[in-house]
Amino acid sequence: MIYGKFFNGSGLGNMLHRYVATRVRAADLGQGWGMVYIDDGAGKEQGFKGKFFINQPTLFDYPKEYKEWQEKKVVDEFGNDIRPYDPEFNFIEDNTIIEGEFQDERYWEYREKEVNEWLKVEPLNMPDDLCVIGFRGGEFKVFPDLFLPQQYWDEAIGRMIAMNPKMKFEVHTDDEETAKQFFPGLKVIHDIGINWRSMRFAKYAIIANSSFFILPRWLNKAITIAPRYWARHNTGIWALPQNYYKRFLYI
């Protein structure tokens, strides 16, 4: 068995990458898989946060007799604690509990068909002239390096309108109040299931530098505008090189 870890303080995006990586490595080995739940004292709801997925991961007790493996961390010249792709992932053996963020597409791109099945949801019919905007507010607002400026959103919307002058927009977010300040007059939706499924099936999307939006847009294969430099768009540093995805358009 290969086990992955869920933390109750993690958001859905982080959980999904851990879930997918666990299943990928288990499939590579031809072994079973499972997820264990770690209470990190964050005070959020317990368990898996994606209750709208058709395939629900089962949570197991922590198997203390298992080996542990952790994705490599690196501190770069700017003092950022980053996680690049760790090739040692491919040498993980059976009977191991794995720990990491696993957001580099090299961990899971070669099993795209299976990932699509594991993250299966009820489809949404999305108009061809609709662009969904994935806006991240919340705790990002207090971090100048993370919180994307109005300029990014305006430029991305301009590029979408250049593709289709009749393009319509709606906003999907964790922070309705702040989103309405950035996008006055646009429909704002705060519903985790609708947000994720809209990202999964919309033909056009503009996304924030949040792990929540990565897998639904990567699986979608349609047009996605994302912030260049990802988590350090405002300072122009690829602090998280794992978050470069070949299928996205970066500005």
Side-chain angles (χ1 to χ4, degrees):
M1 289 279 288
I2 298 293
Y3 287 95
K5 295 180 180 180
F6 281 158
F7 292 87
N8 69 335
S10 297
L12 177 60
N14 290 330
M15 285 187 166
L16 291 181
H17 286 94
R18 291 168 175 269
Y19 167 51
V20 165
T22 300
R23 295 200 65 172
V24 164
R25 189 57 193 152
D28 290 348
L29 293 170
Q31 301 295 332
W33 64 278
M35 303 300 298
V36 296
Y37 177 79
I38 310 297
D39 186 354
D40 57 3
K44 295 186 178 181
E45 66 179 270
Q46 297 186 2
F48 179 57
K49 294 182 172 67
K51 303 301 184 183
F52 54 91
F53 285 97
I54 292 173
N55 302 315
Q56 293 288 320
T58 301
L59 300 183
F60 290 84
D61 292 332
Y62 199 94
K64 296 182 180 179
E65 71 278 10
Y66 273 45
K67 301 184 293 288
E68 300 225 12
W69 181 91
Q70 186 171 42
E71 184 184 27
K72 179 176 62 177
K73 295 182 180 181
V74 175
V75 177
D76 70 8
E77 61 183 304
F78 301 102
N80 299 304
D81 186 4
I82 65 175
R83 292 175 185 255
Y85 173 71
D86 189 346
E88 286 298 310
F89 178 83
N90 300 286
F91 298 92
I92 294 171
E93 299 177 346
D94 192 19
N95 301 324
T96 301
I97 304 169
I98 66 174
E99 159 71 15
E101 298 305 328
F102 305 117
Q103 292 181 20
D104 194 301
E105 62 187 12
R106 285 173 287 183
Y107 288 119
W108 26 264
E109 63 182 347
Y110 62 96
R111 288 195 178 272
E112 179 178 351
K113 183 178 180 181
E114 293 99 320
V115 174
N116 196 36
E117 179 62 29
W118 299 336
L119 300 184
K120 196 171 184 179
V121 292
E122 290 293 335
L124 284 178
N125 292 321
M126 309 292 289
D128 287 342
D129 61 350
L130 176 65
C131 174
V132 293
I133 298 173
F135 179 81
R136 178 65 185 270
E139 67 272 25
F140 274 36
K141 291 183 294 185
V142 301
F143 296 103
D145 291 347
L146 283 175
F147 192 52
L148 293 169
Q150 186 76 55
Q151 179 184 356
Y152 165 74
W153 301 107
D154 291 345
E155 182 178 350
I157 288 172
R159 294 202 182 192
M160 286 295 183
I161 291 173
M163 296 179 198
N164 179 359
K166 297 183 179 179
M167 190 76 77
K168 299 179 178 65
F169 299 89
E170 66 182 28
V171 183
H172 293 261
T173 183
D174 64 323
D175 186 341
E176 289 181 84
E177 181 179 353
T178 306
K180 289 176 181 178
Q181 296 172 16
F182 274 70
F183 310 99
L186 293 185
K187 182 179 181 181
V188 176
I189 301 170
H190 175 38
D191 180 305
I192 191 170
I194 297 298
N195 297 153
W196 204 93
R197 291 164 64 208
S198 296
M199 285 289 157
R200 176 65 185 83
F201 296 107
K203 185 175 180 180
Y204 301 95
I206 301 167
I207 62 173
N209 45 354
S210 168
S211 62
F212 180 87
F213 304 113
I214 296 168
L215 284 167
R217 292 312 299 173
W218 187 85
L219 290 169
N220 183 290
K221 298 184 184 179
I223 296 173
T224 301
I225 292 178
R228 188 176 175 184
Y229 307 112
W230 199 250
R232 295 296 181 271
H233 177 80
N234 302 337
T235 57
I237 299 170
W238 273 107
L240 295 174
Q242 66 175 350
N243 292 118
Y244 173 78
Y245 305 98
K246 297 185 289 292
R247 294 179 181 177
F248 295 173
L249 304 175
Y250 289 89
I251 63 172

